[in-house]
Amino acid sequence: MEELEDWHYRHLTTNTIKNREDILSVSENIDNSFSGRIDVCGLHIFFVESACMIRNAVSQYEQGFMDAAFYSIRTALELARVVTYFSSQKQPLESSLYKAWVCGKKFPFDSKIRLALVDAASAYNEIRTALSDFFDDQDNRLKQANKYIHKQGYKTFYTQNTLRSDLNDLRKHRTNELFNDFIVNSTVEVALLRLCIDPFPVLLQDESIMYKIHFQSVTFPFTENTIKFIGEDKVEKYRNTIFYQSHVDSFASNEELCAEVYNIMNNEYYDRCSWEKVKPQLKLLSLNDQIAVLIFNSSEYISDIYFYGGFAHYFSNVHSNNGIMRGFDSRDLDKVKKSKDKSNTQYHKAFMSYLSYGDIECWIEHNIRLTEKQIKQIHKIIKDAVMEICKSFQK
């Protein structure tokens, strides 16, 4: 039976892809480059799907499904263009075009979306102009890829002229060259279209800017390997656009954060040894950040602090008795909150205490039991921090 199956699929030949690991890695980077724009953050799923289609293309081509692989890449590009177009609307999720797409109604072809992008998306226009050679070359690559998708010419057939092995080898070589060129540059284009939404995947790569951003970004920056994959010359041209520079200018006057404060703000990690560096910039941190730092300072036995039922989790240079790679279940926090004493509840090999003031709820994981004096001190830390924030709003 297996031999029969092989016979039925004898027209398929396996292929290898240049830069395979780089393509897969960059696609994962695109996956994680969430936008902080409130109006489009829900649309990031388009880029996730686009990245999936790129990975599908890799697998399909390796198995020999060349036309399906070309089609998957084209789909990845179309999805990225669609979300870039939606992002240019004032209220993307309220636009008639988006609603038509959601309901599966008549939707413009990719050619019309590309024209609409030029008319509507100023960021896209500027980036396309800055990288005109790249985008023009991509248009030509797409035309060549369409020939394989639509089966134009014998070179696109699985069963070619078997009497001319030299011709078959030449056609396969040219197909491989086109496919490798197309998937690499299409992955680059999807990354560039992501950068039309906002520049944070690149902005957060620049230390002179990233330390002036006074909020936790939901975006994971592009890695150095992704920047190299896109091409440092292209990234430099992107950085010189008005679109990118306007974002740089918006943070220029901000105080530069020290690395330790940046780590608290973005990674929710605090090392007590860094207190002298953190203290002068404490007010630049969010209320939860400040409370976490001050509570950690109150005891060398406190390892972790949780807010929002565990959605925010701060950890420190003191490790829990439960170990670093322990499991977590928010229901455990809820049990502590509903317990009678709420303090010094056994939590596996450590302890957990629940404290609150106003809207602030805080779970503290500690390695030894806290004294009543320490509990009162921590409650005062939370109360004072909340009151201080309230005073600043009143001013």
Side-chain angles (χ1 to χ4, degrees):
M1 180 64 71
E2 187 175 340
E3 288 181 1
L4 183 61
E5 284 291 309
D6 291 342
W7 173 254
H8 286 316
Y9 294 104
R10 64 190 180 280
H11 61 284
L12 297 178
T13 56
T14 58
N15 298 295
T16 56
I17 299 175
K18 298 175 186 176
N19 303 311
R20 179 186 190 274
E21 296 305 319
D22 288 334
I23 292 166
L24 295 176
S25 176
V26 173
S27 75
E28 290 292 343
N29 240 194
I30 293 168
D31 259 0
N32 295 324
S33 63
F34 304 99
S35 175
R37 280 180 53 181
I38 300 299
D39 58 337
V40 298
C41 60
L43 295 175
H44 184 73
I45 192 170
F46 278 80
F47 284 112
V48 173
E49 189 72 9
S50 181
C52 286
M53 295 307 294
I54 289 171
R55 293 193 287 274
N56 282 359
V58 171
S59 179
Q60 288 162 345
Y61 198 71
E62 287 178 335
Q63 295 178 68
F65 299 101
M66 61 177 180
D67 44 7
F70 276 112
Y71 189 83
S72 289
I73 299 171
R74 193 179 77 173
T75 301
L77 290 169
E78 289 174 358
L79 286 166
R81 290 192 196 103
V82 166
V83 69
T84 303
Y85 176 72
F86 285 152
S87 72
S88 70
Q89 309 297 299
K90 288 185 178 179
Q91 292 182 304
L93 301 183
E94 298 301 319
S95 71
S96 58
L97 198 62
Y98 174 72
K99 290 179 179 178
W101 182 88
V102 170
C103 297
K105 295 181 179 178
K106 187 176 180 181
F107 193 77
F109 290 117
D110 181 58
S111 57
K112 288 192 175 181
I113 288 293
R114 279 189 279 172
L115 290 174
L117 265 174
V118 173
D119 292 336
S122 58
Y124 171 81
N125 283 336
E126 191 185 7
I127 293 164
R128 184 181 176 103
T129 300
L131 297 164
S132 58
D133 290 345
F134 168 78
F135 281 98
D136 289 344
D137 287 343
Q138 266 295 87
D139 288 342
N140 291 328
R141 292 184 191 100
L142 180 58
K143 290 175 183 177
Q144 294 300 313
N146 279 336
K147 294 186 184 300
Y148 285 84
I149 293 168
H150 300 301
K151 296 295 182 181
Q152 291 179 288
Y154 287 116
K155 66 182 181 182
T156 67
F157 280 19
Y158 285 103
T159 51
Q160 297 181 7
N161 186 352
T162 54
L163 299 178
R164 292 283 307 276
S165 60
D166 59 329
L167 183 58
N168 291 341
D169 290 343
L170 178 61
R171 285 174 175 171
K172 183 174 182 179
H173 172 74
R174 287 177 176 172
T175 300
N176 287 339
E177 288 296 307
L178 173 61
F179 182 82
N180 279 285
D181 195 33
F182 188 48
I183 192 171
V184 166
N185 285 285
S186 295
T187 304
V188 170
E189 183 175 352
V190 172
L192 290 172
L193 288 168
R194 166 60 188 88
L195 293 175
C196 291
I197 311 301
D198 67 63
F200 280 87
V202 170
L203 203 65
L204 292 170
Q205 261 263 337
D206 188 341
E207 290 190 3
S208 66
I209 305 301
M210 61 182 277
Y211 287 122
K212 291 188 176 183
I213 299 174
H214 292 179
F215 56 82
Q216 185 181 41
S217 175
V218 297
T219 305
F220 286 86
F222 285 164
T223 64
E224 288 185 11
N225 285 338
T226 295
I227 297 296
K228 289 178 182 177
F229 187 86
I230 295 171
E232 293 182 4
D233 58 330
K234 296 185 189 71
V235 174
E236 189 57 33
K237 288 178 180 177
Y238 173 76
R239 285 191 174 117
N240 287 327
T241 61
I242 295 172
F243 175 68
Y244 182 83
Q245 287 300 320
S246 65
H247 285 80
V248 172
D249 293 343
S250 67
F251 300 112
S253 61
N254 286 356
E255 180 180 342
E256 187 170 321
L257 302 175
C258 66
E260 291 77 11
V261 168
Y262 182 87
N263 215 10
I264 296 167
M265 187 179 291
N266 287 277
N267 302 317
E268 297 175 341
Y269 172 77
Y270 174 61
D271 186 337
R272 290 165 176 80
C273 298
S274 67
W275 170 240
E276 291 305 317
K277 292 182 180 179
V278 171
K279 186 177 180 180
Q281 295 188 326
L282 187 66
K283 298 303 179 184
L284 298 178
L285 292 168
S286 70
L287 176 60
N288 284 349
D289 291 341
Q290 292 183 41
I291 290 173
V293 167
L294 295 173
I295 291 176
F296 279 133
N297 284 347
S298 71
S299 171
E300 62 183 6
Y301 297 106
I302 295 174
S303 60
D304 301 74
I305 299 171
Y306 305 85
F307 294 92
Y308 308 122
F311 282 105
H313 173 197
Y314 293 82
F315 59 108
S316 71
N317 57 313
V318 171
H319 298 314
S320 170
N321 286 344
N322 291 320
I324 299 174
M325 301 300 292
R326 66 190 183 281
F328 173 77
D329 190 333
S330 61
R331 290 174 295 185
D332 290 335
L333 303 187
D334 198 45
K335 289 177 184 177
V336 176
K337 178 181 176 179
K338 292 178 179 179
S339 65
K340 182 178 179 181
D341 295 329
K342 302 187 189 325
S343 301
N344 293 317
T345 299
Q346 191 74 44
Y347 181 60
H348 306 298
K349 297 179 181 179
F351 298 91
M352 183 77 74
S353 296
Y354 169 82
L355 294 96
S356 64
Y357 183 81
D359 294 331
I360 299 294
E361 293 185 304
C362 182
W363 288 262
I364 302 164
E365 186 174 344
H366 40 100
N367 289 328
I368 67 170
R369 289 179 178 275
L370 297 175
T371 65
E372 186 176 342
K373 181 179 178 181
Q374 287 173 318
I375 295 292
K376 288 181 179 179
Q377 181 186 359
I378 294 170
H379 188 269
K380 186 176 185 302
I381 287 171
I382 300 171
K383 178 182 177 181
D384 289 350
V386 172
M387 295 301 292
E388 188 65 29
I389 290 289
C390 291
K391 286 180 184 177
S392 66
F393 281 133
Q394 290 173 357
K395 291 178 181 178

